[in-house]
Amino acid sequence: MGNGKLRKRIAVIGSGFSGLSAAAYAAKSGNEVHVFERHDQPGGRARQFRTPEGYIFDMGPSWYWMPDIIEGFFRDFDCNVSDFYELVSLDPQFEMVFSEEKVSVPEKNEAIRELFEKIEPGSAKKYDKFMQSAKFKYEVGMKDFVTKPCHNWLEFASPKIAVSALKLDLLSNFRKYVSSYFSDSKLRSLMEFPVIFLGAAPQNIPALYSLMNYGGYVLGTKYPLGGFYQLVWAMKEVAEKQGVTFHFGHEVQKLNTQNGKITSISVDGEDHEFDVVIASSDYHHTETLIPESLRNYDNAYWKSKTFAPSCLIYYLGIKGKIQHLKHHTLFFENNLDDHIDSIYRDKRWPEQPLFYSCCPSKTDSGVAPENCENLFLLLPLASGINDEESVREKYLKEMLKRIENHTGENDLISRIEYKKSYCVSDFISDYNAYEGNAYGLANILSQTAVLKPKIRNKKIRNLFYTGQLTVPGPGVPPSIISGKIVATEVSKLKIK
């Protein structure tokens, strides 16, 4: 594809992880690639901001899991993660706070086994068995399964996948699967928590996703010094080395079509001609940029889908140190199912929420002024609900109270030096996110693989979609893979 006559002029809309990935791979294949980003910096949901007081906040992802998948992106361009940033391995990986006690998950796998054995005698062997199976799912799932463009089921008809299909546990539900190994409620919560952000109740997610436990616990929880945004900068640099041009502060308003083909895109009132468009913007939003008759899906389709949660986020700068708080802490003192029901069944604010706190200043002195803490709080929520400031504040007070109970600190609210909240309506205004979702489509069986929104427009031959609303799904590593899948499909397209 490197020969001159097949060189395509490609527009990528959005510079989140899938957009950065798609741009880098498409340019590597010899194309002229332009990325249009409405914000003044790359990263999409993974942007970063600095405050006058000296705090540096990652706006989105904070769990650096599946490091081998991320490393794989850089290896494809003959470089390594270590060329761009330093990864620190967290020990403990995280702490889980229950109503009666707290459990710290250690860095080393051997120590995790011992922890399980201590909580539930006999469970170390079960943990080994669980992780052995999870490793298989990770290796087949993340290397073979998720790399398919998912045009149809025939792609999965290889002997390897056929043989693996039963072992992948696609048809058994995650909750039953976990409880077949462990009876202690804390151990079950430890195993179930990673899938909450896949966007469904554990009983509705295929057991295939135990691969998350392997990709996190066994491969370890990392942190890039300088913040998660280091990954964004690194991917942008890789893309630029391939010849990608970035246009920041430029919003694509319309995709102009003729005879089943995009001829040009309208950016800030000007038309620019392109051979191919790759949209890493919100899928539903992208389709509003083309005539209704040419869209892959109508509004009824989107309404019928199960979306992963939105969330309430607080970025807080706190004066003084918070003793006894870890880098990652999960506050699970309340009932998981009640919180999940509030998201998926009732679509309301939870009465007794669970939440997550990230305090990167515990690992990285550069993200907060001296003797201060950088605190990021996240509470998963139903998408599409009312998120006025007074409601946000009520939940902030509750979260801070529970951090005080956990750490023994007093009156954290009076020590707040910087405060910014981010919720459903912000996801809509900043990212055109459908109903303000934060994590794309839920990974339930009826929305897996071929059953996800297609990466290619069925009526416009040169329009492709990438990102968390298409294959393989939500999360940073899947989004990076999504960009690669689409770039590969674009390289097969013959320009007429």
Side-chain angles (χ1 to χ4, degrees), residues 100 155 194-195 236-237 240-241 282 333 353 427 468 479:
E100 306 298 319
E155 295 164 30
V195 303
K236 175 178 179 272
E237 198 175 318
E240 284 177 328
K241 278 187 181 149
D282 177 271
E333 309 98 319
F427 280 101
Q468 59 178 12
S479 292

Side-chain angles (χ1 to χ4, degrees), residues 253-326:
Q253 284 127 348
K254 194 170 168 236
L255 305 177
N256 305 304
T257 59
Q258 208 176 344
N259 305 329
K261 200 170 159 236
I262 289 174
T263 50
S264 65
I265 65 173
S266 300
V267 183
D268 305 327
E270 283 184 25
D271 290 352
H272 303 268
E273 288 182 15
F274 284 96
D275 300 314
V276 182
V277 172
I278 298 173
S280 92
S281 40
D282 177 271
Y283 199 124
H284 171 268
H285 167 72
T286 303
E287 297 232 295
T288 65
L289 307 179
I290 54 177
E292 219 166 306
S293 59
L294 298 176
R295 294 172 192 171
N296 270 355
Y297 307 104
D298 59 13
N299 280 334
Y301 171 88
W302 294 107
K303 286 231 174 310
S304 72
K305 294 284 126 186
T306 302
F307 275 82
S310 185
C311 50
L312 166 64
I313 298 171
Y314 267 95
Y315 310 100
L316 302 173
I318 307 274
K319 283 190 281 205
K321 287 295 181 189
I322 303 174
Q323 300 303 321
H324 313 299
L325 187 66
K326 304 286 189 276

Side-chain angles (χ1 to χ4, degrees), residues 140 145 155-168:
V140 174
F145 211 70
E155 295 164 30
F156 296 91
S158 75
K160 184 174 179 188
I161 288 179
V163 169
S164 311
L166 290 171
K167 283 187 173 163
L168 288 173

